[in-house]
Structure formats: C-alpha cells, structure tokens
Amino acid sequence: MEVTQVLLNAQSIDGAVRKNAEESLKHFQEQNLTVFLLLLSGELVSEEKPVETRKLAGLILKNALDAKDQQRKVELVQRWLSLDGNAKSQIKAGLLKTLSSPVSDARSTASQVIAKVAGIELPHKQWPELVGSLLSNVHQLPAHAKQATLETLGYLCEEVSPDVIDQDQVNKILTAVVQGMSASEGNTDVRLAATRALYNALGFAQANFSNDMERDYLMRVVCEATLSPEVRIRQAAFECLVSISSTYYEKLAPYIQDIFNITAKAVREDEEPVALQAIEFWSSICDEEIDILEEYGGDFTGDSDIPCFYFIKQAIPALVPMLLETLLKQEEDQDQDEGAWNIAMAGGTCLGLVARTVGDDIVPLVVPFIEENVTKPDWRQREAATYAFGSILEGPSPAKLIPLVNVALNFMLSALTKDPNSHVKDTTAWTLGRIFEFLHGSAVDSPIITQANCQQIVAVLLQSMKDTPNVAEKACGALYFLAQGYEEVGPSSPLTPFFQEIVQSLLTVTHREDARESRLRTAAYETLNEVVRCSTDETAPLVLQLVPVIIMELHNTVEGQKLSSDEREKQSELQGLLCGCLQVIIQKLGSSESTKYLFLQYADQIMGLFLSVFACRSATVHEEAMLAIGALAYATGPDFAKYMPEFYRYLEMGLQNFEEYQVCAVTVGVVGDICRALEEKVVPYCDGIMTQLLKNLSSNQLHRSVKPPLFSCFGDIALAVGEYFEKYLMWAMSALQSAAELSTHTTGDDELIEYINTLRNGILEAYSGIFQGFKNSPKTQLLIPYAPHILQFLDGIYMEKDMDDVVMKTAIGVLGDLADTLGSHAASLIQQSVSSKDFLNECLSSEDVMIKESAEWAKLAISRAISV
C-alpha cells in the first residue's frame, strides 16, 4: 500500500476519493496493526514526505493509543501493550527523532504521540529512559529541537499522574523548564514552550512548593515571564499564576502583594488575552476562599488544616476599584453573541465572586461608583453602574442591600422602558432578575415588592418582553424569579390578578419571528412553567384553560410534513419545550382532587400526542415527552393501564438507548412512575422490563450514572407486583449482591465516593422495595437466604464511614424492613450482626430528622421481631 498517496487521498476535497482512502486505512489497520503503525511512524519521521501526510500519520497514530470513551481507551491500551516489542522500540525511536525535524507540524504531532505512549508505558514501568533522553535534548541546540522537547515534557505531565515520575526526575524536568523560561533564553518559541510546559508540570511540584527557596525561585521565574515582550508568553505565565492560585493557595502569602501589582498593571494596560488571565487570578482566589469559608463556616479552630488567608478581604480597597474600571470596557455587540467573553464581563464576574467572598464589606466600595455613573449621558457608564449593582447582590446581607434596592427599584423600572440604549436595558433586566432571585421571597423579612409596586413591576416586565430578543430574554428571567418568590405565599398570590395577562404575554413571545435568538423562546417557556408551578388554587381554572392551547401547539408540530434536518431539529426543540410545559401543568392540576378530575378529560388526547411525538423520531425516544408521560402516569393512576399496549415499545426503546444515556435514565425513572401508578396491573409488562433492566446492568456500554436508578427500579417493581416478583428474585438478588460487594471496597476521590454513595442508595432502595413487596405474603421465606448477605452489606457500609445522609436514611430503613418482613427469622441474624446495634444508635441520635424517624421505626420493627 502506498501510504503517502492514501494519506493524501484521505484529505481530498472529493468525497468519494476521501471515503475510499479512509476505508483502505481502516482495512489495513485491521489486517496488520503492527505493520500499519510502523508505516505511519515511518511517514511521520521522513523529511522527504509532504507535511500534510506526516501530520495525518501522527494523528492516526495518536488515535490508535487513546479514545474519549473509557471502554475503548482500555482496549487500546491493552492492544499497545501486547504489540511486538521490537516494533514498539522502532516506533518510539522514530518519534524521538522527529522532535528535531525542521518542520514544526511534524515536531508538534510527535510530541503529542510521545506523551500518549508515555501515558500507557510509564505506569507499567516501561520506557524508563524516556525522561532522561528528553532532558539530554533540552541542552542541545538547535532551538527548534529544544522547543519541541519542552512541549513534549509539557504534554507528558498532562498525560501521566504525578506518582508515576520519581521526585529526582521531577526536579530535573522543572530545572529544564525553568531554564527554558528564563529571560536569558533568546528564543521566543523556546520560552513559550517552557512556560506552557510549566503550567502542566505544576501538579508535580508539590515537594518543590513546600521548599521555601525552590518556591521563591519558581514564583520569581513565573512573575518575570509575565513581563515578557511576547504577548503569548505573558498570557501563558498568567495562566501559570491562575493554576498556582488554586493548587498552592496556602503558599501564596509572601507573594500576594507583588502579584497584585503585576495583575493590576496587566488589567489596566495589557492586551485582552493577558488582562483576562490577570482577572482570572483573583476570581480563582475568590473560589478558593468561598470554598474554605463554606466548608468551615468561618470558624477556624484547631481542626482546620487550610486556614483562610483572607487575601480578598485585604485586597478589596485596591481590587474593587480596579474591577470597576474594567466594567467600562464593554464591546458594542456583546449582548447578541452568546459565547461573548471580554474584560468587562470577566471584571463583573470577578466582582460577583468578591461580593460572595467578603459580603457586606464590598457595598460601600461599589455604591459611589453606581451613584456617579448611573445617570451619565455615555451608555457605557450607565451600563457599568447597573452591572456593578447586579454583580454584588449575592453575598452581602439583605439588611445591607434592601435599603439600596428600595431606592434603586423605581429608577431601574424606568430605565428598562425608557433608556435609549439596548445594552443598558439588557443589564437592567438582568439586575432586576438578580434582585428578585436573592432579595424576594418567603426567606426575606422586609419585602421589596408591595401591593403598591407589584402592578408596575409586572407591567414593565411584560412591556420589555416586546423589546429586542436579548432584552426580552432577560425580562422573562426576571419574571421567572418574581414568580418563584411567591411560591409559598398561601392561598392567594399577589400575581393572581395578572395571571391571565402574564400567560398571554409569554405565549405571544413564543410566537415571535425572532424567538430563536438569544434563547428567547426557551426562556419564555421556562418562565411560563415557573408561573404555572408557583400559582395558587385560585388560578387553577386558568391553568386548565391553558391545556387545550398547549395541546393545539403540540398538535401543530406533529402534522406530517416532510422536514429538512435543520427544521427537524427546530421541531424537536419546540416539542421538548411544549412537553415540558405539559409536564408542569399535569403535575399542577393532578396534585389536587378537584382539578385532577377536570383535567383527566384531556388525558387521552395528551397521551395520543406524546405517542405522535415519539413517532416523529425514528431512532431515539424524546426525553421531555418521556418525562411528561411519567407525570401523566402519576396523575392517572391505575387508568394508565389503557395506554400501555401502545406505549410499551417506546418504553423499551428508551431503556435500550445506551448512546444517549440521559434518555435511558429518564426512562428508568418513568418505569418507576408507572409501577407506582399501575401496581399489580404492570405484571403483563414485567418480563420485558426486567429482562431489559438486567441486560442494562450487565452492559459495559452504559454510562455508570444510570446504574443506581436501575437498581432502585427493581424495588419499584417488587413493591408494585408483590410476591409475583418471585420469578425474578434470583436474578435481581444476584445482580444486587455483586454491586453491593463492589460498593463496599472502593476508595477514591470525592467524585467516586459520591458515585459509590448513589450506587449504594440504589441498591438499598431495591432491597427495601423487595422486602416491602413480599411483606405479609406466604412467600416471605424466600428472602431468608439473602438476609445474611444484606446485613453484611450494611456492616460493610457502616465500617467504611463514608456514607452520606441519604444512604444512612435508606440503610437504616432497610434494617427495619428486614426485621419487619422476616420477623423472628431475622431476629438472631440481626443480633449476630457486627454493627447493626451501633449503627442504629448512631442514627437514633442523628441531627437529621429524616434519619431519626427512620431509625425509630427500625428500632420498633427490630424489637417486635426479637420479642416474637
């Protein structure tokens, strides 16, 4: 096979040629992997070959070593490790040789591939000479080889975890990197590669940052690099500072004053990419301090190993004025562009974080800026003043903010309708939304919205919904929080008199020609949902009138016209919004008997539409329609059985959808809703459902987050069908048992512990449902053989001491269910169990009311079982 030609063809403009080349590459890779990889590395090394083919050869090599999908990645790693040793050595030698190629694309590609190979081999104690040979390159000229080697060291640090490289080699890597960064290095590309490599190597520098001299030296080199004449080096150096601020927060005190001076200069004078990183440094320090203060609740007694240094509190007299200046650097069209990010936005975001970090102390520093600028003729000053106000509304106490809001509210309502500038209106509507989000609702003592101004507020927001899409979207957001604040007001809501008008205005917005801009249509439906969700009984008749309207809208989307793929996407999005709206309406009207009866006359029609929505998509099940069906099942109860024959195939389709695992998770939840609605009427469908659930559990393709709800679903089914569950008992218990073992012998980071707790909770919910389902049935004794293992599982979780409150409540509940269902059969087992007594006592004295209640019930059940 002529590799070069095939690689050229693979990049051809002609689709047929390209497809043909891709096929032959794939075929060759499957026929003989070793030769395939050797040819690719030969292509990458060879200086005679065209740059496009060298680059693509390297890319294919890289993709043969790594994949986004975990499962695939494991396979590729095993595949490389089992490859012929001589071939691997030849490939690796070729890659290292390419680092000194005069062609920069070839060097850069080789760097990435070397790092991928190292990521596989170093943890297996292979290629031990790699770091040494890279370091010997760093001291050689030419400059381009030095640059490529530093880039490789950077990628290497990104690929492998710090424990794979010993401290002696780490020191040598850092030395080489720091030398490459120093001002004496004449070549800009080398300095840039070194600075970027340091960014990736910071995680390896724990020991070096704990040594005062080494840390001083590293900090000095980074700070010097922020003054480099080359903008990309300055940006990379500030990125290093941002990373240091979170990784080594507790080591920053001696440098913070110098860093303030450097960042302030960059924010005021440097180019935007550099200034943004300089602001990001302070945002990152805020994040660290917010976390510390939240975790320790502000009391630093002896047990706190990370004291808060209050860097932000000390910096605010200088930091806040600097951030306020940035707010005046807006861009003309930033409101229209969804992904916009610039100095003004970064400054406002940082100001918001500062407010959350220092609370009340920020207010007197910002108020004069607002007062001075909010009435200025230049729109930039009015917008900056409004943005500053909106940014500080989360953090300071209501007592400090409400007097300001009372003064500002009228002014802002008038600006929202009368200001000539769209930016100012956009920010004003956003700020009103923040006022309603943080300072309005049952938790706030003195209301800012009264009988007197409620009507004006609603009128202004409805008026603004006719404004440009970006302003209208923010006005919808403000109305959303306005409605949310009245969620728990009792029988009558101040919004009741305006309910009809609000709903009508929101529906009008959804029909605007430009409703797809600025997420406007989505925002309008989200707000409509919130207005309905927070409405009171008095407006129930109006919510009922909304049902045929939304039904009609949904009906119009399923009319059978042929759609282009772009139109199909729009259709699907709109169907999602309408199904979401119906879900909220179903939950609202289904929750009280009087409205439920009236609503159910529409149930057949609604279910028919949901089925038509499913029919619009060939391969996937529509997630929002599935959620709405769950709500409908809950509202209709046993009557839902009449929809099952037609709906069942979509339920099965959803359970089989491993690709879009959220859809699968939602469908599993709906199975639970249906079990609760139908109870024993779900029996005819159980074989199919249980078979699919067990298949899902044994699959490696399914995302792990779906597994916990799959287990809970066993419990829902058992609870619904009672002793009929016997035919699945053996399979279900065996799946639960292996998952239970997995979940008690796992150590890992916080994210894994959180997942393990979700998994345990799913398993426990299954046990609980099974015990309750079999209670009072003659077949209870079928469960006795499983009891010892379940008690052992409870012991295991208790001993590991890392369960969260949710698991604790479910676990103590399972202990009670076991005693309650098995009675005297369980007594001796519970008495022999290692920790159930300690566990019960711990739960009885819990601060958490829910845990305590569960524990008291369990105690009663156990004492009944023992006394039998």
Side-chain angles (χ1 to χ4, degrees), residues 104-116:
S104 76
D105 275 346
R107 293 197 304 272
S108 177
T109 308
S111 292
Q112 294 172 48
V113 182
I114 291 171
K116 292 292 179 199

Side-chain angles (χ1 to χ4, degrees), residues 3-15:
V3 178
T4 310
Q5 194 51 53
V6 177
L7 289 169
L8 282 171
N9 290 352
Q11 303 174 63
S12 159
I13 329 168
D14 180 338

Side-chain angles (χ1 to χ4, degrees), residues 373-385:
N373 290 290
V374 79
T375 54
K376 283 287 190 341
D378 179 357
W379 73 266
R380 289 177 182 279
Q381 289 173 285
R382 299 197 304 279
E383 194 276 337

Side-chain angles (χ1 to χ4, degrees), residues 478-496:
L479 186 56
Y480 177 99
F481 288 114
L482 182 66
Q484 196 178 71
Y486 288 127
E487 188 181 349
E488 290 155 11
V489 287
S492 175
S493 158
L495 292 182
T496 297

Side-chain angles (χ1 to χ4, degrees), residues 294-417:
E294 271 179 6
E295 194 171 333
Y296 297 103
D299 50 24
F300 297 107
T301 42
D303 61 3
S304 147
D305 54 342
I306 319 182
C308 181
F309 286 98
Y310 296 102
F311 290 137
I312 299 294
K313 205 180 172 86
Q314 291 159 33
I316 52 173
L319 178 61
V320 170
M322 169 182 97
L323 293 171
L324 291 171
E325 278 175 42
T326 64
L327 303 186
L328 294 158
K329 299 183 179 176
Q330 308 95 324
E331 283 172 7
E332 285 293 344
D333 52 356
Q334 65 185 40
D335 298 332
Q336 273 68 34
D337 173 14
E338 278 199 19
W341 187 245
N342 55 44
I343 292 189
M345 297 167 90
T349 303
C350 186
L351 193 64
L353 289 165
V354 172
R356 286 176 52 201
T357 312
V358 303
D360 288 359
D361 293 350
I362 196 171
V363 177
L365 294 169
V366 175
V367 168
F369 177 85
I370 301 171
E371 288 172 343
E372 188 190 334
N373 290 290
V374 79
T375 54
K376 283 287 190 341
D378 179 357
W379 73 266
R380 289 177 182 279
Q381 289 173 285
R382 299 197 304 279
E383 194 276 337
T386 314
Y387 190 19
F389 188 33
S391 299
I392 63 166
L393 291 166
E394 184 187 5
S397 62
K400 191 85 176 165
L401 292 170
I402 285 176
L404 294 174
V405 171
N406 285 333
V407 173
L409 195 58
N410 269 338
F411 180 85
M412 294 179 71
L413 291 170
S414 123
L416 186 51
T417 43

Side-chain angles (χ1 to χ4, degrees), residues 542-677:
L542 298 173
V543 176
L544 201 60
Q545 287 173 22
L546 188 57
V547 178
V549 179
I550 303 291
I551 286 179
M552 197 59 215
E553 300 261 329
L554 189 54
H555 177 73
N556 293 339
T557 68
V558 295
E559 286 301 82
Q561 68 279 50
K562 279 273 164 274
L563 297 176
S564 68
S565 65
D566 183 42
E567 284 173 326
R568 172 152 296 136
E569 193 184 323
K570 285 183 195 168
Q571 172 204 40
S572 179
E573 185 188 325
L574 180 56
Q575 288 173 343
L577 294 168
L578 291 163
C579 289
C581 185
L582 278 171
Q583 184 193 342
V584 174
I585 295 175
I586 293 167
Q587 284 164 337
K588 189 76 196 171
L589 296 173
S591 61
S592 87
E593 284 307 315
S594 53
T595 51
K596 181 159 134 178
Y597 174 72
L598 291 165
F599 162 73
L600 288 177
Q601 61 182 338
Y602 294 111
D604 291 0
Q605 209 179 340
I606 291 176
M607 189 65 192
L609 277 170
F610 290 153
L611 293 170
S612 316
V613 169
F614 285 142
C616 291
R617 315 259 290 259
S618 46
T620 58
V621 169
H622 202 291
E623 195 175 334
E624 286 82 1
M626 191 55 92
L627 280 165
I629 286 175
L632 189 65
Y634 184 77
T636 49
D639 290 348
F640 190 82
K642 62 179 174 184
Y643 306 127
M644 282 300 288
E646 242 189 300
F647 170 56
Y648 179 72
R649 67 191 183 106
Y650 296 111
L651 193 68
E652 202 160 51
M653 215 179 299
L655 292 176
Q656 288 162 355
N657 193 343
F658 290 1
E659 294 300 301
E660 300 170 283
Y661 64 88
Q662 292 91 339
V663 175
C664 186
V666 163
T667 311
V668 171
V670 171
V671 171
D673 294 333
I674 288 172
C675 289
R676 284 184 283 278

